Amino acid sequence: MKTIERRVRFWAMLFCSALASWVILLVSCFAPWEQGTLIVSLLLLSCSFIFAVLMWKAYQGLKIARLILENQLLCIRPAVVMKSEGDARSYTQKGGLAVYVSYFGILLGSRIIKFNQDGIRLRAVEIGPDSLLLTYGDGKKTESIRLLRAFLNQNEMKEITEKFRYETGVTPLITD
Amino acid sequence: MTKFPLKTGNLNERVLSVVVFSLLFAWVLAFPFEGQILYALTGVYQIEPHHMVFGAIAAQLGGLFLGGFFIKTIRAAKRFITGAVLFCIALSAVFLLGPSVFWLPALVAGSFLSGGSVAAWGFYFRSGSRKGQRIKTAADGLAYSNILMILLNIIAVYISPELGLIGAMLCLVLALVFLRKLPEDDCTSASPFQVQQGSPVSMAKPLAFLCLFVVIITINSGLMYQVQGPAFSHLKWLTGWYWAIPYIAALMIVRNLPEKTNRSYLLYVAIAMIGFSFIFFWVLDRSAPSYLVVDTLMLGACGIYDLFWWSILGEMLDFERNAAKILGIGLSANVLGVLLGGTIGNAITTAGLSGSDATLLALAVVCVTLVLLPPLHTHLTMLLKTHAFLTVFSALPQQEQNDRMQRVAVFTVLSQREMQVSALLLQGKTYKVIAGELFISENTVKYYVKNIYSKLHIQSRAQLIELVSKQKNAIPRP
């Protein structure tokens, strides 16, 4: 999530810089412009436009990520890798990737898999003893993703099954 | 929830309210609202009437529009109408004393008060007639007031303007007499309905759209007064009485159509009539037969349209506590259209254009309004159907709403959560309210709704409603 936010800020910064540069160029060089100034101006405008598009796309991703986080059905916490240095009793967490599954898609770190949007539907859910298989696609293409997770007891399994059924309309298949 | 004391409604109150309205409105039509009495009086004293007429129409607009903001109960309505009628009698008397500086302010004040009175009458329009019958009440009120207007005009034009004015004042006195018999208590009034209270469904959008529709059509009426009217002024012996006959005839025809008739088709007939009216005005001479053709087409169309929006306003009264507001704002749109049309027509005639140029220009304005009408009408019908559905659906008990939704076959593709959101959409709730009820963010609701529409292959709430309405037994008839 933080990566996505950083991405948005990055493109926003580039966009603002390009636009600001163009404005400064506009203000500092009086008409008529020389050929060189014109080329630089066009370049800056093009860059501004490209950065604006990239910023917009990143922002759309951020919106979806927030949507997934706000409407979680399931959160798969990463295995915690702790490392101690020498005799020190303090541990630092290394690695790990939280996965959030929602009616709107899956958020894996900074990667987003959308469904129930833009014509992509969640087609099937399989809950295994140590994994979750989600199948999604539009009418033409279907993809699957298997998420490994910790063992679930009966009650937890029931709860997740009911949540999926209620929110997405898809009743998960429980496999051994 | 609702009680119907009599299957046919309360006849006495209905008749009384029609009588009061007819008498009051006859005074309005014959005198301040471009009435022949006013023209006759100003003609006798060689006074230019146009600024007075304009002032009166503008004041009438103000009275209609603002009436509902001050008159909020049936008791206040009765008292206001009583006071306004007394005042109008006194103001009319000013015109019997000869020309003076008081004529214009008296006319403006009288127009304003009469406008407010017509708005206030909305309470009796609602309480005196049951839903579905208000078109007949509106037709009766408009027809009788126009008949009285014709009589007053004949007196004013052929006998004496002062006598015509006295006749109009007598109408006001009679209105006062009958007004006393109307109930003033909300409990005792024979209202067969309990008005939706605290309904989440707002009338604002349908009313605003209806007003837009009305303004656009009535521009043609205003144009007619300024362009067609003066062209036949030499036929006063005919125009003084025939003018409103086609209007009354159209009202009676539409009023007496079988209930199952789809009156919407008549609107397109009326559009064609307006168009042909101006075409014939352009190609024919200015003889009496030509006047008969032009006036019959134009005023016949006006009768159809007037009854159309009067009846819609009448049906809307049940969805809003303050009947004066609904009726007043709706009718003010009518007056606004006349004012705009009159302004355009006045501009055309004062620009010194030749007769045929002025007519062509008027025809162009008519064509523009006629092009706008079909999409406006489609949207208006959809809005009203949506609103009627939303109000009925939201009044059902929760369990019954759920049951009805379960019966709709297309909803099987939706998940339970999506069904929940759909049900709240069908209750007319906003995204914000839905978000609050489901404890989710407004943004989430928007995405749910987008997905629901995509699954059902629709694009809007109105189409969702249409989908549900198409399912037999999905929704009760209002």
Side-chain angles (χ1 to χ4, degrees):
Chain A
M1 180 73 173
K2 283 195 177 128
T3 316
I4 300 174
E5 284 171 349
R6 261 185 252 131
R7 206 180 287 160
V8 175
R9 274 189 232 119
F10 173 70
W11 292 121
M13 204 174 62
L14 285 179
F15 166 70
C16 292
S17 308
L19 197 65
S21 308
W22 180 78
V23 170
I24 291 167
L25 184 71
L26 192 72
V27 165
S28 58
C29 296
F30 301 104
W33 279 355
E34 294 168 5
Q35 197 176 15
T37 316
L38 194 64
I39 291 169
V40 170
S41 162
L42 283 171
L43 211 64
L44 284 171
L45 273 177
S46 310
C47 288
S48 304
F49 177 73
I50 292 165
F51 294 144
V53 168
L54 290 168
M55 181 183 72
W56 182 82
K57 282 187 90 167
Y59 179 67
Q60 293 300 309
L62 181 65
K63 268 174 57 177
I64 307 285
R66 282 191 182 142
L67 207 61
I68 292 170
L69 279 178
E70 281 169 14
N71 301 280
Q72 296 171 36
L73 290 175
L74 178 66
C75 171
I76 301 172
R77 295 256 174 238
V80 176
V81 176
M82 304 294 265
K83 189 176 176 180
S84 74
E85 303 205 350
D87 289 329
R89 288 184 184 274
S90 65
Y91 293 89
T92 34
Q93 183 174 341
K94 300 273 180 203
L97 189 74
V99 177
Y100 301 94
V101 181
S102 160
Y103 164 89
F104 294 105
I106 306 170
L107 179 63
L108 304 113
S110 63
R111 191 184 156 203
I112 297 170
I113 299 170
K114 282 194 296 188
F115 36 77
N116 290 326
Q117 294 171 71
D118 302 334
I120 303 169
R121 301 259 171 267
L122 180 66
R123 303 275 179 209
V125 178
E126 255 181 56
I127 303 179
D130 58 356
S131 65
L132 187 72
L133 178 72
L134 297 130
T135 308
Y136 54 91
D138 55 21
K140 301 167 195 167
K141 202 169 89 174
T142 308
E143 288 180 29
S144 295
I145 182 167
R146 186 180 292 278
L147 304 169
L148 299 174
R149 47 141 188 80
F151 178 78
L152 291 173
N153 63 37
Q154 267 309 82
N155 285 339
E156 284 168 335
M157 200 90 87
K158 251 190 202 172
E159 199 186 315
I160 290 171
T161 307
E162 182 51 30
K163 268 188 190 175
F164 268 99
R165 192 197 60 78
Y166 181 81
E167 288 282 342
T168 67
V170 174
T171 307
L173 177 70
I174 301 185
T175 57
D176 292 329
Chain B
M1 185 182 78
T2 57
K3 287 182 182 175
F4 294 82
L6 287 169
K7 270 194 175 174
T8 53
N10 186 322
L11 202 60
N12 286 336
E13 191 183 331
R14 181 183 169 281
V15 169
L16 276 173
S17 69
V18 167
V19 167
V20 167
F21 175 81
S22 303
L23 290 165
L24 171 66
F25 209 53
W27 176 85
V28 171
L29 293 175
F31 183 39
F33 198 84
E34 291 201 84
Q36 288 298 319
I37 295 175
L38 181 64
Y39 281 118
L41 278 170
T42 51
V44 163
Y45 296 106
Q46 314 263 317
I47 297 169
E48 178 54 51
H50 290 109
H51 64 286
M52 293 176 74
V53 166
F54 181 82
I57 295 175
Q60 179 87 187
L61 171 66
L64 280 167
F65 188 82
L66 295 172
F69 291 93
F70 299 105
I71 305 158
K72 293 179 182 176
T73 62
I74 199 166
R75 182 171 288 170
K78 187 173 178 181
R79 288 177 184 180
F80 182 86
I81 298 173
T82 307
V85 167
L86 286 167
F87 214 64
C88 289
I89 294 170
L91 294 171
S92 304
V94 168
F95 285 78
L96 292 172
L97 305 173
S100 71
V101 293
F102 298 114
W103 272 27
L104 181 60
L107 195 69
V108 167
S111 298
F112 185 85
L113 290 171
S114 62
S117 300
V118 171
W121 181 78
F123 284 101
Y124 293 109
F125 188 20
R126 178 173 68 195
S127 65
S129 322
R130 68 182 167 91
K131 209 163 154 39
Q133 294 299 314
R134 290 190 190 133
I135 188 170
K136 293 191 175 175
T137 304
D140 291 343
L142 290 170
Y144 297 139
S145 55
N146 273 271
I147 290 170
L148 285 170
M149 177 202 71
I150 291 172
L151 292 171
L152 293 170
N153 285 350
I154 289 172
I155 296 170
V157 170
Y158 294 109
I159 305 174
S160 140
E162 285 82 3
L163 212 55
L165 183 58
I166 291 169
M169 289 165 70
L170 196 62
C171 286
L172 288 179
V173 170
L174 285 171
L176 214 52
V177 168
F178 287 105
L179 183 62
R180 288 187 64 200
K181 295 178 192 290
L182 282 171
E184 71 168 41
D185 205 341
D186 280 324
C187 300
T188 57
S189 73
S191 169
F193 304 101
Q194 187 175 342
V195 175
Q196 294 285 338
Q197 295 189 20
S199 168
V201 189
S202 164
M203 280 306 306
K205 201 170 175 186
L207 184 61
F209 211 78
L210 177 66
C211 287
L212 177 64
F213 188 78
V214 169
V215 167
I216 290 188
I217 296 178
T218 47
I219 283 174
N220 296 311
S221 300
L223 263 175
M224 172 201 66
Y225 287 130
Q226 294 295 325
V227 175
Q228 288 183 354
F232 292 106
S233 56
H234 58 285
L235 297 171
K236 233 182 192 99
W237 60 272
L238 182 60
T239 61
W241 62 274
Y242 183 77
W243 180 76
I245 301 287
Y247 180 83
I248 296 166
L251 288 173
M252 290 296 113
I253 290 168
V254 177
R255 178 204 190 278
N256 293 311
L257 287 173
E259 260 188 56
K260 286 181 184 170
T261 312
N262 185 350
R263 290 188 173 91
S264 303
Y265 289 116
L266 290 174
L267 293 177
Y268 295 97
V269 170
I271 290 173
M273 284 168 74
I274 291 176
F276 279 118
S277 169
F278 275 98
I279 290 170
F280 282 126
F281 179 71
W282 182 33
V283 300
L284 295 176
D285 59 16
R286 301 288 175 253
S287 62
S290 304
Y291 172 76
L292 290 173
V293 170
V294 169
D295 185 72
T296 302
L297 287 168
M298 177 56 83
L299 269 294
C302 288
I304 293 171
Y305 275 120
D306 270 6
L307 197 55
F308 170 70
W309 53 71
W310 268 87
S311 65
I312 290 184
L313 287 170
E315 301 307 314
M316 279 182 176
L317 295 177
D318 285 326
F319 300 114
E320 182 67 43
R321 210 187 239 278
N322 189 342
K325 210 181 210 177
I326 296 287
L327 192 66
I329 292 174
L331 293 180
S332 67
N334 191 340
V335 176
L336 180 62
V338 170
L339 202 59
L340 286 174
T343 309
I344 297 169
N346 202 35
I348 290 171
T349 49
T350 54
L353 295 170
S354 70
S356 58
D357 286 344
T359 313
L360 269 175
L361 204 54
L363 201 56
V365 173
V366 166
C367 288
V368 168
T369 61
L370 296 183
V371 161
L372 291 172
L373 280 173
L376 272 180
H377 176 241
T378 309
H379 193 67
L380 177 67
T381 313
M382 182 59 84
L383 265 177
L384 291 171
K385 228 177 12 180
T386 304
H387 191 275
F389 176 97
L390 288 176
T391 311
V392 169
F393 191 82
S394 65
L396 294 172
Q398 188 62 51
Q399 187 55 47
E400 206 173 336
Q401 286 179 23
N402 294 339
D403 290 344
R404 286 177 191 278
M405 284 196 61
Q406 297 295 336
R407 271 187 245 149
V408 180
V410 289
F411 282 2
T412 52
V413 300
L414 302 180
S415 68
Q416 269 192 268
R417 178 61 118 186
E418 288 164 348
M419 286 276 275
Q420 239 186 343
V421 173
S422 302
L424 292 170
L425 278 176
L426 286 169
Q427 287 172 22
K429 293 184 177 168
T430 60
Y431 291 174
K432 198 172 175 182
V433 169
I434 294 172
E437 288 201 18
L438 298 179
F439 304 104
I440 52 180
S441 69
E442 201 177 328
N443 197 38
T444 305
V445 173
K446 284 180 189 165
Y447 274 90
Y448 270 125
V449 170
K450 216 166 141 182
N451 202 29
I452 290 165
Y453 290 168
S454 162
K455 279 188 177 180
L456 299 177
H457 306 290
I458 56 176
Q459 256 123 51
S460 64
R461 193 194 301 236
Q463 288 180 327
L464 178 68
I465 285 164
E466 207 174 357
L467 207 62
V468 176
S469 308
K470 274 184 190 160
Q471 301 292 321
K472 206 179 167 182
N473 298 326
I475 220 65
R477 298 266 169 227

